[in-house]
Amino acid sequence: MNVNSNTNRLAGILMRYHKIPDETIRRLPVYLRGLLFLSESGQERISSRNLADMLSVNPWQIRKDFSYFGDFGTRGVGYNITKLIKHINKILKLNVVHRAALVGVGNLGTAVLAYAGFRIYGFDIAAAFDINPKVIGKKINNVTIEDVSKLRMLKKRNIDIGIIAVPRSAAQETADALVKAGVKGILNFSPCYIAAPKKVKVITIDIAIDLARLPYYMPSN
Amino acid sequence: MNVNSNTNRLAGILMRYHKIPDETIRRLPVYLRGLLFLSESGQERISSRNLADMLSVNPWQIRKDFSYFGDFGTRGVGYNITKLIKHINKILKLNVVHRAALVGVGNLGTAVLAYAGFRIYGFDIAAAFDINPKVIGKKINNVTIEDVSKLRMLKKRNIDIGIIAVPRSAAQETADALVKAGVKGILNFSPCYIAAPKKVKVITIDIAIDLARLPYYMPSN
DNA sequence: CTATGTGAATTTATTCACAGCA
DNA sequence: TGCTGTGAATAAATTCACATAG
């Protein structure tokens, strides 16, 4: 009993030590984007202050965020950009290519399929599905659109992420199918809550909801 | 001087009293979406618990959020849905129609223009601009695409929101043009920071950045 | 002398527990 | 009795200040 309670306490301390704030995880991709930009332009080092100015955030926020993972920088010098990119990629598990399947190739789906911005984070949209016979067989961005009934065994095809871009009424069943096919994460563009097993992470992006809080912050005259 | 300091203190107290957490503002559109859905299906009342279950959040979070604005509900009964919708719309300043101008009618821009989800919050994309002669003059969703050089005097056209869906390299100049034309808020889809005067609120949506934190939360096996 | 890394202080947000009203 | 509304308690995130390393 004493042993147990000690073990639990220890586990608690270790977990607490390793616990990364969600807000930090949310910011890491932003830092990464900036760092990749700097890397492309050939820069080798950067200080927290300069990176902060560039991204319009606070330097101490950046240092605090990085400090959760160990010593990335060199005191008096700054951060080595290449090294930092590698570190962040590893933390976010972006150091391996993630293959994704898109479901729903309408206006938004097409935009997603054509969007180049995913590649810098190591994402590859490797498959696309739709229910509309008119678009099935078509090729967009080197991806041939398949019948949605073929949506299974994604795990076998090395696909671990699903992207939902279907109408709201079909969103949940699409999610269910994706889970069944073995994806471990879902990016949902439908304006609704998606239920999924705990082991599958769902992130919902609702463009309208972000727009909806804009007027609140706009001056009235 | 004494008077001044008292006034300031009073203003401070009043402002503190009225200060709404940003996180609450972020959640209001989510509640609103759920309530609109309920309203459509004819329901009249709902309790914080039922709404919470529906949206997969906590009841006390909902009650706390609403409590910043006064008494919306009836103890022992719940909330009147219609009344609540009106209240939230007013808080978010969605009780007037907001006309928006879209700049950049590529894949993403087209999807935005075709997206019906904005309407429930009272948004109306009233104008669209592009630089490509091939699309200028075309009509999508009843909006005729204009030459981007015509992008000015949006205020005169009663447009107060700008939506940026151009390549990153043109994002900042587009924002500058929108500000000059008199918009008070900008929704930016370009993967970069946008500088704007303080009086203009900018909200950036970078789809890739949201996707980028998905693998972190996905189980490794 | 410069810029990181981190405990401590502060601020902000969430959760709880229950008084108070229908 | 049922459900809201809200102070108080807790937890989380941000900001600060400075010791520390190059």
Side-chain angles (χ1 to χ4, degrees):
Chain A
M1 217 161 154
N2 223 329
V3 174
N4 258 342
S5 113
N6 272 340
T7 312
N8 287 342
R9 228 169 63 83
L10 184 60
I13 290 163
L14 286 174
M15 276 179 67
R16 176 180 297 260
Y17 184 75
H18 282 289
K19 167 70 182 164
I20 314 304
D22 280 342
E23 292 303 308
T24 294
I25 296 299
R26 186 185 300 272
R27 284 186 292 264
L28 287 183
V30 180
Y31 301 152
L32 187 52
R33 187 179 65 191
L35 291 165
L36 287 167
F37 181 80
L38 288 170
S39 177
E40 272 171 37
S41 61
Q43 208 172 313
E44 280 185 13
R45 281 198 306 257
I46 194 159
S47 68
S48 58
R49 164 176 271 282
N50 289 150
L51 184 60
D53 285 348
M54 178 181 156
L55 302 173
S56 194
V57 298
N58 298 105
W60 48 84
Q61 178 86 84
I62 291 181
R63 294 205 299 276
K64 189 62 154 182
D65 283 340
F66 289 172
S67 80
Y68 291 113
F69 307 101
D71 300 5
F72 285 179
T74 310
R75 289 171 198 233
V77 178
Y79 299 92
N80 175 299
I81 292 172
T82 312
K83 205 172 125 194
L84 194 46
I85 290 173
K86 277 206 183 109
H87 268 298
I88 298 179
N89 268 328
K90 200 168 174 187
I91 294 160
L92 293 174
K93 297 197 210 164
L94 299 176
N95 53 338
V96 291
V97 171
H98 289 276
R99 288 161 56 89
L102 170 74
V103 188
V105 193
N107 279 307
L108 183 58
T110 304
V112 167
L113 206 43
Y115 185 48
F118 295 124
R119 213 165 313 152
I120 67 163
Y121 296 115
F123 294 106
D124 174 20
I125 302 183
F129 299 90
D130 205 293
I131 203 171
N132 183 355
K134 277 191 182 160
V135 302
I136 292 167
K138 266 196 184 174
K139 214 171 178 177
I140 299 178
N141 234 18
N142 263 326
V143 179
T144 305
I145 301 166
E146 305 168 53
D147 189 305
V148 76
S149 67
K150 301 269 171 59
L151 168 42
R152 46 194 155 132
M153 305 291 190
L154 294 181
K155 209 174 180 177
K156 282 252 169 70
R157 294 169 69 173
N158 232 8
I159 289 170
D160 59 356
I161 290 174
I163 302 175
I164 299 178
V166 301
R168 170 159 59 175
S169 56
Q172 184 61 58
E173 56 182 296
T174 300
D176 295 342
L178 284 166
V179 169
K180 215 171 170 183
V183 306
K184 293 181 298 188
I186 291 176
L187 186 67
N188 170 44
F189 283 101
S190 279
C192 60
Y193 169 72
I194 292 285
K198 227 176 173 178
K199 55 171 186 166
V200 177
K201 174 73 177 178
V202 180
I203 289 181
T204 295
I205 300 181
D206 184 340
I207 300 166
I209 272 191
D210 286 310
L211 181 56
R213 71 197 156 87
L214 192 49
Y216 176 84
Y217 293 103
M218 291 176 0
S220 294
N221 43 39
Chain B
M1 216 162 152
N2 223 329
V3 174
N4 258 343
S5 112
N6 272 340
T7 312
N8 286 342
R9 225 168 65 83
L10 184 60
I13 290 164
L14 285 175
M15 277 178 64
R16 175 180 297 259
Y17 186 75
H18 282 291
K19 167 69 180 166
I20 314 303
D22 280 341
E23 292 302 308
T24 293
I25 296 300
R26 186 186 299 272
R27 284 187 291 262
L28 287 184
V30 180
Y31 301 153
L32 187 52
R33 188 179 66 190
L35 291 165
L36 287 167
F37 181 80
L38 288 170
S39 178
E40 272 171 35
S41 60
Q43 207 171 314
E44 280 185 13
R45 283 198 304 258
I46 194 159
S47 68
S48 58
R49 165 175 269 282
N50 289 150
L51 184 59
D53 286 347
M54 179 180 154
L55 302 173
S56 193
V57 299
N58 298 106
W60 47 83
Q61 178 85 83
I62 292 181
R63 292 204 301 275
K64 186 63 152 184
D65 283 340
F66 289 171
S67 79
Y68 291 113
F69 308 101
D71 300 5
F72 285 180
T74 311
R75 291 170 198 235
V77 178
Y79 299 93
N80 176 299
I81 291 173
T82 313
K83 208 174 125 192
L84 194 46
I85 289 172
K86 274 202 187 114
H87 268 298
I88 297 179
N89 269 328
K90 200 169 173 186
I91 294 160
L92 293 174
K93 298 196 207 164
L94 298 176
N95 53 337
V96 293
V97 171
H98 288 277
R99 287 160 56 90
L102 170 73
V103 189
V105 194
N107 278 309
L108 183 59
T110 304
V112 168
L113 205 44
Y115 186 50
F118 296 125
R119 212 165 313 152
I120 67 163
Y121 295 116
F123 294 107
D124 174 19
I125 302 183
F129 300 90
D130 204 295
I131 203 171
N132 181 357
K134 279 192 182 161
V135 302
I136 293 166
K138 266 196 184 175
K139 212 171 182 177
I140 300 179
N141 234 18
N142 264 326
V143 179
T144 304
I145 301 165
E146 305 169 52
D147 191 304
V148 75
S149 68
K150 302 267 171 61
L151 169 42
R152 45 194 158 138
M153 305 291 191
L154 294 181
K155 208 174 181 175
K156 282 253 169 67
R157 294 169 68 173
N158 231 6
I159 289 170
D160 59 355
I161 289 174
I163 301 175
I164 300 179
V166 302
R168 170 159 61 176
S169 55
Q172 184 61 56
E173 58 182 297
T174 301
D176 295 343
L178 284 166
V179 169
K180 214 171 172 184
V183 305
K184 294 182 297 189
I186 290 175
L187 185 66
N188 169 43
F189 283 101
S190 280
C192 59
Y193 170 73
I194 292 285
K198 226 176 173 177
K199 55 172 185 163
V200 177
K201 173 74 178 175
V202 180
I203 288 181
T204 294
I205 299 181
D206 184 341
I207 299 167
I209 272 190
D210 285 310
L211 182 56
R213 70 197 156 87
L214 191 50
Y216 175 83
Y217 294 103
M218 291 178 358
S220 293
N221 42 38

